[in-house]
């Protein structure tokens, strides 16, 4: 079994309801915003659904995080649109004769010129207009529905509210294209899609992605086999207790536990392997956790709030009023350090804090 954590992971654990819901939204032509913390499997979820649509749809995917400017975002989008029709690296090919590109990829010359003309546009407003009309134009030209997936769409904020408004004004006229947006910063995504004053208000249905359900993890672990290695019942139970439904850490802990058992010369993963794996993950991420703690603790009393959440007894401080405490809790939620139930989003950061201060 190919089992990798993060990056271009293709493994999806559970998520049956989410897959069914997203697929239904797309089939109905309903735009959708998938919201959840980083490493919760949003990208994997959407790509899993989209991979099943490529036969009958133009599937266009774009990671907003990879663009450092509006022009670069447009370049990436144009490339992605042509990629959906089988033309890889369209912008690179535009250095060749346009007629050669058309014949090589079975396109009409007018289809090639659409992207070429956008690339050569110097006026940013017109560039945006030409670029984000492209998916709809291709959908009509090739008699297919188009699905456009913007990953890390919350990063659009750095390009300014005017760009977001322009995109909405373009997208709302499209009848053959469905838009799927994913974002990690809940506060930013809520502002974009749920704030009445924002251009994208009520444009997309919201899908919030949380932790995995216990039964989903149990089912997955029961049938797990890695290179003829399996989990003992105790090891499986310990993994579930530690990861608390966190998708990324579930896979990462299984990986490291398997390697620990391999080094021990056993084909069965035991609790001692899981414990070694936990320590390794904590050690590997120590610098990151220290950096996160330093940023959090830089604001007065913010670190105290986290210590209190892990059960550390804190002396009452007159400077920490109830209103100020509420403000700090909100900031921690907005930073996705904790969720709405005041539980840690990163379960290993919580483990690290408990080891340091518990």
């Amino acid at each position: 079994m190919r089992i990798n954590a993060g990056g271009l992971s293709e493994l999806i654990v559970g998520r049956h309801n989410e897959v069914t819901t997203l697929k239904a939204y797309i089939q109905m032509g309903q735009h959708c915003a998938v919201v959840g913390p980083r490493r919760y499997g949003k990208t994997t979820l959407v790509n899993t659904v989209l991979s099943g649509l490529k036969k009958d749809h133009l599937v266009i995917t774009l990671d907003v995080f990879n663009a450092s400017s509006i022009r670069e975002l447009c370049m990436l989008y144009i490339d992605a649109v042509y990629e959906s029709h089988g033309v890889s690296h369209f912008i690179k090919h535009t250095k060749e004769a346009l007629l050669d590109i058309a014949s090589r990829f079975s396109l009409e010359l007018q289809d090639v010129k659409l992207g070429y003309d956008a690339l050569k546009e110097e006026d940013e407003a017109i560039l945006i207009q030409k670029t984000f009309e492209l998916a709809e134009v291709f959908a009509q030209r090739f008699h297919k529905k188009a699905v456009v997936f913007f990953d890390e769409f919350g990063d659009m904020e750095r390009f300014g509210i005017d760009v977001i408004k322009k995109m909405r004004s373009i997208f709302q006229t499209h009848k053959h294209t469905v838009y799927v947006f994913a974002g990690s910063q809940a506060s930013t995504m809520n502002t974009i899609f749920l704030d009445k004053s924002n251009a994208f208000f009520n444009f997309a249905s919201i899908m919030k992605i949380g932790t995995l359900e216990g039964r989903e993890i149990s089912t997955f672990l029961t049938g797990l086999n890695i290179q003829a290695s399996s989990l003992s019942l105790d090891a499986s139970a310990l993994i579930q207790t530690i990861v608390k439904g966190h998708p990324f850490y579930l896979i990462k802990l299984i990986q490291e536990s398997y390697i620990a058992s391999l080094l021990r010369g056993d084909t069965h993963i035991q609790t001692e392997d899981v414990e070694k794996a936990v320590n390794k993950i904590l050690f590997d991420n120590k610098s990151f956790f220290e950096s996160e703690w330093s940023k959090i603790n830089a604001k007065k009393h913010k670190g105290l709030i986290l210590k209190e959440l892990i059960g550390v007894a804190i002396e009452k401080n007159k400077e920490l009023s109830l209103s100020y405490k509420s403000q700090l809790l909100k900031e921690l939620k907005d930073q996705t350090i904790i969720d709405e139930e005041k539980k840690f989003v990163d379960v290993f950061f919580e483990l690290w804090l408990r080891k340091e201060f518990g």
Side-chain angles (χ1 to χ4, degrees):
M1 171 183 284
R2 186 173 188 268
I3 180 166
N4 64 309
L8 296 175
S9 177
E10 298 174 356
L11 180 64
I12 185 168
V13 179
R15 300 295 193 205
H16 171 75
N17 291 343
E18 291 89 341
V19 168
T20 301
T21 301
L22 181 57
K23 192 179 296 183
Y25 276 141
I26 293 172
Q27 289 171 342
M28 289 187 290
Q30 173 63 52
H31 312 304
C32 184
V34 183
V35 183
R38 292 185 187 277
R39 303 194 294 190
Y40 266 42
K42 298 181 301 299
T43 303
T44 301
L45 168 67
V46 177
N47 284 336
T48 296
V49 172
L50 296 187
S51 66
L53 300 176
K54 288 186 177 180
K55 182 179 178 181
D56 302 313
H57 293 70
L58 295 175
V59 175
I60 299 152
T61 61
L62 177 73
D63 189 341
V64 177
F65 185 76
N66 289 332
S68 59
S69 65
I70 285 298
R71 181 162 292 276
E72 187 174 4
L73 181 72
C74 291
M75 301 301 102
L76 291 172
Y77 190 85
I78 292 168
D79 251 354
V81 171
Y82 279 91
E83 176 72 35
S84 74
H85 193 65
V87 185
S88 298
H89 309 297
F90 172 77
I91 293 176
K92 180 181 178 182
H93 287 305
T94 55
K95 295 177 182 178
E96 306 169 14
L98 299 188
L99 193 58
D100 289 343
I101 300 173
S103 60
R104 186 187 306 178
F105 296 104
S106 301
L107 288 165
E108 297 292 333
L109 183 58
Q110 61 178 321
D111 300 326
V112 179
K113 289 188 70 175
L114 284 170
Y116 181 78
D117 289 344
L119 290 171
K120 298 301 178 183
E121 183 57 58
E122 293 185 3
D123 185 292
E124 190 171 272
I126 299 175
L127 169 64
I128 292 170
Q129 182 73 40
K130 287 183 176 180
T131 296
F132 293 111
E133 287 285 6
L134 205 53
E136 179 72 2
V137 171
F138 263 49
Q140 294 181 61
R141 283 280 297 119
F142 300 111
H143 307 291
K144 286 186 174 184
K145 290 286 186 180
V147 183
V148 178
F149 172 34
F150 286 94
D151 204 0
E152 295 303 339
F153 190 70
D155 276 5
M156 283 299 304
E157 272 206 333
R158 61 195 162 99
F159 299 130
I161 193 66
D162 289 341
V163 174
I164 295 177
K165 286 181 178 179
K166 183 68 173 176
M167 290 173 71
R168 166 64 193 262
S169 69
I170 296 169
F171 294 166
Q172 68 184 4
T173 66
H174 295 169
K175 297 179 180 179
H176 303 84
T177 306
V178 177
Y179 293 93
V180 179
F181 312 90
S184 303
Q185 294 290 343
S187 59
T188 301
M189 292 294 282
N190 286 341
T191 298
I192 292 174
F193 292 101
L194 298 178
D195 189 331
K196 290 182 179 180
S197 64
N198 197 288
F200 272 93
F201 176 65
N202 273 349
F203 181 77
S205 291
I206 306 296
M207 275 185 64
K208 292 190 176 181
I209 303 300
T211 53
L212 298 172
E213 294 183 15
R215 58 180 178 79
E216 293 177 327
I217 297 177
S218 295
T219 300
F220 173 70
L221 293 179
T222 299
L224 186 64
N225 187 290
I226 313 171
Q227 305 293 336
S229 290
S230 58
L231 285 158
S232 71
L233 291 176
D234 287 343
S236 176
L238 182 56
I239 287 174
Q240 291 185 70
T241 299
I242 291 168
V243 301
K244 298 178 182 178
H246 194 295
F248 171 81
Y249 283 122
L250 170 65
I251 302 304
K252 189 62 183 170
L253 190 52
I254 291 170
Q255 279 183 331
E256 298 297 350
S257 298
Y258 164 68
I259 292 172
S261 70
L262 198 65
L263 295 174
R264 196 169 48 79
D266 195 346
T267 58
H268 296 287
I269 301 171
Q270 307 292 347
T271 54
E272 63 180 284
D273 302 312
V274 178
E275 290 164 356
K276 287 179 182 177
V278 168
N279 289 330
K280 182 179 186 302
I281 294 170
L282 287 172
F283 178 79
D284 291 345
N285 289 275
K286 182 182 178 182
S287 295
F288 169 70
F289 292 148
E290 287 176 341
S291 174
E292 284 292 285
W293 172 249
S294 179
K295 286 187 286 186
I296 291 167
N297 206 35
K299 185 161 187 177
K300 195 172 184 180
H301 302 310
K302 210 171 195 178
L304 290 178
I305 299 293
L306 286 190
K307 286 183 179 180
E308 190 174 45
L309 289 177
I310 62 172
V312 176
I314 304 297
E315 291 184 12
K316 288 187 178 181
N317 191 312
K318 292 181 180 180
E319 294 181 33
L320 187 57
S321 64
L322 286 177
S323 60
Y324 185 45
K325 184 176 181 179
S326 296
Q327 177 191 323
L328 294 178
L329 283 168
K330 183 181 182 303
E331 289 178 12
L332 289 168
K333 290 173 188 176
D334 290 343
Q335 291 175 269
T336 62
I337 303 298
I338 59 175
D339 62 19
E340 291 298 323
E341 298 177 354
K342 299 179 186 178
K343 295 178 181 178
F344 282 81
V345 171
D346 188 322
V347 293
F348 269 79
F349 182 46
E350 179 184 2
L351 276 177
W352 180 82
L353 287 172
R354 290 184 183 281
K355 283 183 174 290
E356 290 291 312
F357 307 110

